[in-house]
Amino acid sequence: MFENGFFGNVLSKYQPSDSGIIDTTATMLAEIKPSEFFLCEGAALIIGLLISLIYIITHRKEGYAQSYVLTMTMLPTIVSLILLLINTTAGALSLAGAFTLVRFRSVPGDPKDIAYIFFAMACGVACGIGYVGFAIVFFLILGAIMFILAETNFGGARKNHMTLKIAIPENLDYQGVFEPVLNKYTTFHRLRRVKTTNFGTLFELIYSVDIDQNIDQKKFIDELRTLNGNMTINLVFFRYDDKIYEN
Protein backbone atom coordinates (compact mmCIF):
# COMPACT_ATOMS: atom_id res chain seq x y z
CA MET A 1 0.00 0.00 0.00
CA PHE A 2 3.02 2.31 0.40
CA GLU A 3 4.65 1.47 -2.91
CA ASN A 4 3.19 4.37 -4.92
CA GLY A 5 2.81 7.00 -2.21
CA PHE A 6 5.12 9.28 -0.30
CA PHE A 7 6.69 6.48 1.75
CA GLY A 8 7.34 4.49 -1.38
CA ASN A 9 9.31 7.35 -2.91
CA VAL A 10 11.38 7.76 0.28
CA LEU A 11 12.16 4.05 0.53
CA SER A 12 13.12 3.86 -3.11
CA LYS A 13 15.42 6.87 -2.65
CA TYR A 14 17.44 5.14 0.09
CA GLN A 15 17.30 1.64 -1.34
CA PRO A 16 20.86 0.52 -2.32
CA SER A 17 21.44 -0.62 -5.84
CA ASP A 18 23.64 -3.55 -6.73
CA SER A 19 25.43 -1.59 -9.43
CA GLY A 20 26.28 1.20 -6.97
CA ILE A 21 27.82 -1.23 -4.52
CA ILE A 22 29.86 -2.88 -7.27
CA ASP A 23 31.05 0.49 -8.60
CA THR A 24 32.07 1.69 -5.14
CA THR A 25 33.98 -1.50 -4.41
CA ALA A 26 35.72 -1.41 -7.77
CA THR A 27 36.69 2.24 -7.25
CA MET A 28 38.14 1.53 -3.80
CA LEU A 29 40.15 -1.43 -5.06
CA ALA A 30 41.35 0.55 -8.03
CA GLU A 31 42.76 3.24 -5.74
CA ILE A 32 45.07 0.69 -4.07
CA LYS A 33 47.84 0.00 -6.53
CA PRO A 34 49.55 -3.40 -6.39
CA SER A 35 52.92 -1.75 -5.82
CA GLU A 36 51.54 0.20 -2.82
CA PHE A 37 49.91 -2.93 -1.41
CA PHE A 38 53.04 -5.07 -1.59
CA LEU A 39 55.23 -2.25 -0.30
CA CYS A 40 53.08 -1.57 2.78
CA GLU A 41 52.33 -5.20 3.57
CA GLY A 42 55.89 -6.34 2.94
CA ALA A 43 57.30 -3.60 5.15
CA ALA A 44 54.80 -4.42 7.90
CA LEU A 45 55.66 -8.12 7.72
CA ILE A 46 59.41 -7.49 7.89
CA ILE A 47 59.04 -5.03 10.76
CA GLY A 48 56.83 -7.51 12.63
CA LEU A 49 59.47 -10.21 12.23
CA LEU A 50 62.20 -7.85 13.47
CA ILE A 51 60.10 -6.76 16.48
CA SER A 52 59.54 -10.39 17.43
CA LEU A 53 63.29 -11.00 17.03
CA ILE A 54 64.09 -8.13 19.39
CA TYR A 55 61.56 -9.53 21.86
CA ILE A 56 63.23 -12.95 21.71
CA ILE A 57 66.69 -11.46 22.27
CA THR A 58 65.60 -9.26 25.19
CA HIS A 59 63.68 -12.14 26.84
CA ARG A 60 66.13 -14.98 26.27
CA LYS A 61 66.98 -15.17 29.98
CA GLU A 62 63.49 -15.02 31.47
CA GLY A 63 61.76 -17.00 28.72
CA TYR A 64 58.83 -16.26 26.41
CA ALA A 65 55.82 -17.88 24.76
CA GLN A 66 55.95 -18.85 21.10
CA SER A 67 52.35 -17.77 20.57
CA TYR A 68 53.23 -14.26 21.75
CA VAL A 69 56.14 -14.05 19.31
CA LEU A 70 53.91 -15.16 16.43
CA THR A 71 51.27 -12.62 17.44
CA MET A 72 53.74 -9.75 17.18
CA THR A 73 54.79 -11.03 13.76
CA MET A 74 51.23 -11.07 12.41
CA LEU A 75 49.87 -7.95 14.10
CA PRO A 76 51.57 -5.20 12.01
CA THR A 77 50.55 -6.93 8.77
CA ILE A 78 46.92 -7.29 9.86
CA VAL A 79 46.66 -3.69 11.06
CA SER A 80 48.32 -2.43 7.88
CA LEU A 81 45.86 -4.29 5.65
CA ILE A 82 42.84 -2.95 7.56
CA LEU A 83 44.06 0.62 7.18
CA LEU A 84 44.84 0.10 3.51
CA LEU A 85 41.26 -0.97 2.90
CA ILE A 86 39.93 2.07 4.74
CA ASN A 87 42.12 4.08 2.38
CA THR A 88 41.73 7.47 4.12
CA THR A 89 43.93 9.11 6.71
CA ALA A 90 40.93 10.24 8.79
CA GLY A 91 39.50 6.75 8.85
CA ALA A 92 42.91 5.33 9.67
CA LEU A 93 43.34 7.66 12.61
CA SER A 94 39.87 6.85 13.94
CA LEU A 95 40.61 3.13 13.74
CA ALA A 96 43.96 3.66 15.46
CA GLY A 97 42.07 5.38 18.28
CA ALA A 98 39.69 2.44 18.50
CA PHE A 99 42.63 0.10 19.05
CA THR A 100 43.41 1.90 22.31
CA LEU A 101 40.10 0.64 23.68
CA VAL A 102 41.04 -3.01 23.23
CA ARG A 103 41.09 -4.89 26.52
CA PHE A 104 43.49 -7.77 26.99
CA ARG A 105 41.21 -10.51 28.28
CA SER A 106 43.99 -12.77 29.48
CA VAL A 107 45.98 -13.31 32.63
CA PRO A 108 47.68 -10.04 33.60
CA GLY A 109 51.27 -10.17 32.47
CA ASP A 110 54.35 -8.01 32.27
CA PRO A 111 53.53 -4.40 31.27
CA LYS A 112 56.51 -4.56 28.92
CA ASP A 113 54.77 -7.31 26.95
CA ILE A 114 51.74 -5.07 26.44
CA ALA A 115 54.07 -2.26 25.33
CA TYR A 116 55.50 -4.58 22.66
CA ILE A 117 51.97 -5.15 21.38
CA PHE A 118 51.47 -1.40 20.96
CA PHE A 119 54.94 -1.19 19.38
CA ALA A 120 53.86 -3.66 16.71
CA MET A 121 50.49 -1.94 16.25
CA ALA A 122 52.08 1.50 15.82
CA CYS A 123 54.35 0.19 13.07
CA GLY A 124 51.38 -1.47 11.38
CA VAL A 125 49.37 1.77 11.50
CA ALA A 126 52.25 3.73 9.99
CA CYS A 127 52.63 1.22 7.16
CA GLY A 128 48.88 1.07 6.58
CA ILE A 129 48.52 4.81 6.00
CA GLY A 130 51.53 4.89 3.72
CA TYR A 131 54.26 6.21 6.01
CA VAL A 132 56.59 3.29 5.53
CA GLY A 133 59.69 5.42 6.00
CA PHE A 134 58.43 6.71 9.35
CA ALA A 135 57.63 3.14 10.41
CA ILE A 136 61.17 2.01 9.61
CA VAL A 137 62.77 4.97 11.43
CA PHE A 138 60.48 4.47 14.43
CA PHE A 139 61.33 0.78 14.55
CA LEU A 140 65.08 1.41 14.31
CA ILE A 141 65.05 3.99 17.10
CA LEU A 142 62.79 2.18 19.56
CA GLY A 143 64.21 -1.26 18.73
CA ALA A 144 67.76 -0.07 19.39
CA ILE A 145 66.72 1.56 22.65
CA MET A 146 64.94 -1.58 23.85
CA PHE A 147 67.98 -3.71 23.00
CA ILE A 148 70.40 -1.40 24.83
CA LEU A 149 68.16 -1.14 27.90
CA ALA A 150 67.81 -4.92 28.08
CA GLU A 151 71.55 -5.53 27.72
CA THR A 152 72.45 -2.95 30.38
CA ASN A 153 69.68 -4.16 32.74
CA PHE A 154 68.40 -0.61 33.01
CA GLY A 155 66.12 -0.15 36.02
CA GLY A 156 66.94 -3.55 37.46
CA ALA A 157 66.72 -3.66 41.24
CA ARG A 158 69.38 -5.26 43.42
CA LYS A 159 66.68 -6.43 45.80
CA ASN A 160 63.84 -8.82 45.11
CA HIS A 161 60.42 -7.51 46.08
CA MET A 162 58.57 -10.63 47.16
CA THR A 163 55.51 -11.87 49.02
CA LEU A 164 56.01 -14.20 51.98
CA LYS A 165 53.13 -16.41 53.13
CA ILE A 166 53.48 -18.29 56.40
CA ALA A 167 50.90 -20.81 57.61
CA ILE A 168 50.67 -21.18 61.40
CA PRO A 169 48.42 -23.13 63.80
CA GLU A 170 45.44 -21.25 65.18
CA ASN A 171 46.78 -21.42 68.75
CA LEU A 172 50.14 -19.76 67.94
CA ASP A 173 50.54 -16.13 69.01
CA TYR A 174 52.30 -14.84 65.90
CA GLN A 175 53.02 -11.29 67.05
CA GLY A 176 56.79 -10.86 67.23
CA VAL A 177 57.55 -14.54 66.64
CA PHE A 178 59.05 -14.14 63.16
CA GLU A 179 60.61 -10.69 63.64
CA PRO A 180 64.18 -11.87 64.50
CA VAL A 181 64.40 -14.02 61.37
CA LEU A 182 62.84 -11.34 59.16
CA ASN A 183 65.22 -8.70 60.49
CA LYS A 184 68.14 -11.02 59.74
CA TYR A 185 67.30 -11.93 56.13
CA THR A 186 65.26 -8.98 54.82
CA THR A 187 66.00 -5.31 54.33
CA PHE A 188 62.30 -4.47 54.64
CA HIS A 189 59.25 -6.42 55.79
CA ARG A 190 55.69 -5.52 56.59
CA LEU A 191 52.71 -7.63 57.58
CA ARG A 192 50.05 -6.96 54.97
CA ARG A 193 47.24 -9.33 55.82
CA VAL A 194 46.20 -12.09 58.19
CA LYS A 195 43.50 -14.57 57.21
CA THR A 196 42.18 -17.93 58.33
CA THR A 197 42.39 -21.01 56.12
CA ASN A 198 41.41 -24.68 56.24
CA PHE A 199 38.02 -23.93 57.88
CA GLY A 200 39.61 -21.77 60.56
CA THR A 201 42.12 -24.34 61.81
CA LEU A 202 45.08 -22.39 60.38
CA PHE A 203 46.16 -18.78 60.04
CA GLU A 204 48.05 -17.39 57.06
CA LEU A 205 50.36 -14.41 57.51
CA ILE A 206 51.12 -12.44 54.34
CA TYR A 207 54.23 -10.23 54.37
CA SER A 208 55.75 -7.88 51.81
CA VAL A 209 59.52 -8.33 52.00
CA ASP A 210 62.64 -7.05 50.24
CA ILE A 211 65.31 -9.73 50.00
CA ASP A 212 68.87 -9.19 48.84
CA GLN A 213 69.85 -11.44 45.95
CA ASN A 214 72.93 -12.71 47.80
CA ILE A 215 71.16 -14.31 50.76
CA ASP A 216 70.58 -18.03 51.10
CA GLN A 217 66.82 -18.37 50.67
CA LYS A 218 66.87 -22.01 51.80
CA LYS A 219 68.34 -21.07 55.18
CA PHE A 220 65.81 -18.25 55.43
CA ILE A 221 62.89 -20.63 54.87
CA ASP A 222 64.37 -23.32 57.14
CA GLU A 223 64.60 -20.89 60.05
CA LEU A 224 61.00 -19.85 59.50
CA ARG A 225 59.91 -23.50 59.45
CA THR A 226 61.34 -24.05 62.92
CA LEU A 227 59.05 -21.30 64.18
CA ASN A 228 55.78 -22.23 62.48
CA GLY A 229 55.83 -25.96 63.21
CA ASN A 230 57.19 -27.01 59.81
CA MET A 231 54.02 -25.88 58.04
CA THR A 232 53.63 -24.39 54.58
CA ILE A 233 55.73 -21.36 53.59
CA ASN A 234 55.47 -19.62 50.21
CA LEU A 235 57.99 -17.08 48.91
CA VAL A 236 56.99 -15.67 45.52
CA PHE A 237 57.57 -12.59 43.37
CA PHE A 238 54.90 -9.93 43.45
CA ARG A 239 53.99 -10.25 39.77
CA TYR A 240 53.20 -13.95 40.15
CA ASP A 241 51.09 -13.45 43.25
CA ASP A 242 47.49 -12.41 43.80
CA LYS A 243 47.05 -8.67 44.09
CA ILE A 244 46.51 -7.34 47.60
CA TYR A 245 44.36 -4.25 47.65
CA GLU A 246 44.77 -1.78 50.48
CA ASN A 247 42.88 1.30 51.55
Side-chain angles (χ1 to χ4, degrees):
M1 59 181 295
F2 297 112
E3 292 180 358
N4 298 323
F6 172 77
F7 292 103
N9 294 330
V10 173
L11 293 175
S12 62
K13 179 180 179 181
Y14 291 96
Q15 185 175 3
S17 61
D18 295 338
S19 60
I21 295 175
I22 295 175
D23 293 340
T24 303
T25 305
T27 302
M28 183 182 67
L29 293 178
E31 292 178 355
I32 304 177
K33 299 179 181 179
S35 59
E36 296 176 352
F37 171 79
F38 287 111
L39 175 63
C40 295
E41 291 301 297
L45 179 60
I46 294 174
I47 291 175
L49 288 170
L50 294 177
I51 291 175
S52 63
L53 182 61
I54 292 178
Y55 180 83
I56 292 173
I57 295 174
T58 56
H59 288 72
R60 61 182 181 273
K61 295 181 181 179
E62 55 192 280
Y64 52 87
Q66 183 184 18
S67 59
Y68 192 84
V69 174
L70 296 178
T71 299
M72 284 188 296
T73 303
M74 296 186 299
L75 191 58
T77 309
I78 296 172
V79 173
S80 176
L81 178 60
I82 294 174
L83 298 185
L84 273 175
L85 295 178
I86 290 178
N87 206 27
T88 61
T89 303
L93 294 177
S94 64
L95 183 60
F99 278 128
T100 62
L101 302 178
V102 176
R103 295 183 59 188
F104 295 89
R105 302 180 181 275
S106 60
V107 178
D110 194 337
K112 184 171 60 175
D113 293 343
I114 301 178
Y116 268 97
I117 288 291
F118 284 103
F119 183 16
M121 288 175 56
C123 292
V125 169
C127 292
I129 60 179
Y131 295 103
V132 177
F134 286 126
I136 296 174
V137 173
F138 171 68
F139 162 75
L140 292 176
I141 294 175
L142 188 55
I145 292 175
M146 293 303 298
F147 178 78
I148 294 172
L149 294 180
E151 291 299 317
T152 58
N153 194 27
F154 178 78
R158 296 181 179 179
K159 299 175 182 178
N160 293 326
H161 306 284
M162 309 184 78
T163 297
L164 175 64
K165 297 182 180 181
I166 305 175
I168 60 175
E170 60 176 344
N171 58 355
L172 176 63
D173 186 6
Y174 56 85
Q175 295 184 357
V177 174
F178 303 101
E179 293 300 318
V181 179
L182 293 175
N183 291 331
K184 178 180 177 181
Y185 288 97
T186 67
T187 57
F188 167 82
H189 63 272
R190 181 178 178 182
L191 182 62
R192 295 291 187 181
R193 186 171 59 182
V194 180
K195 68 176 184 179
T196 60
T197 60
N198 199 20
F199 300 100
T201 59
L202 299 175
F203 278 86
E204 186 177 60
L205 310 181
I206 301 177
Y207 289 89
S208 294
V209 296
D210 288 348
I211 300 178
D212 194 283
Q213 295 181 356
N214 297 323
I215 73 164
D216 190 338
Q217 294 185 7
K218 183 180 184 304
K219 291 183 178 180
F220 175 41
I221 296 177
D222 287 341
E223 292 190 23
L224 292 175
R225 289 168 56 196
T226 60
L227 299 175
N228 76 330
N230 200 27
M231 302 188 69
T232 303
I233 295 177
N234 293 325
L235 184 63
V236 295
F237 285 103
F238 276 135
R239 62 176 177 172
Y240 297 115
D241 193 25
D242 297 332
K243 293 185 180 295
I244 301 175
Y245 297 95
E246 298 179 332
N247 296 325

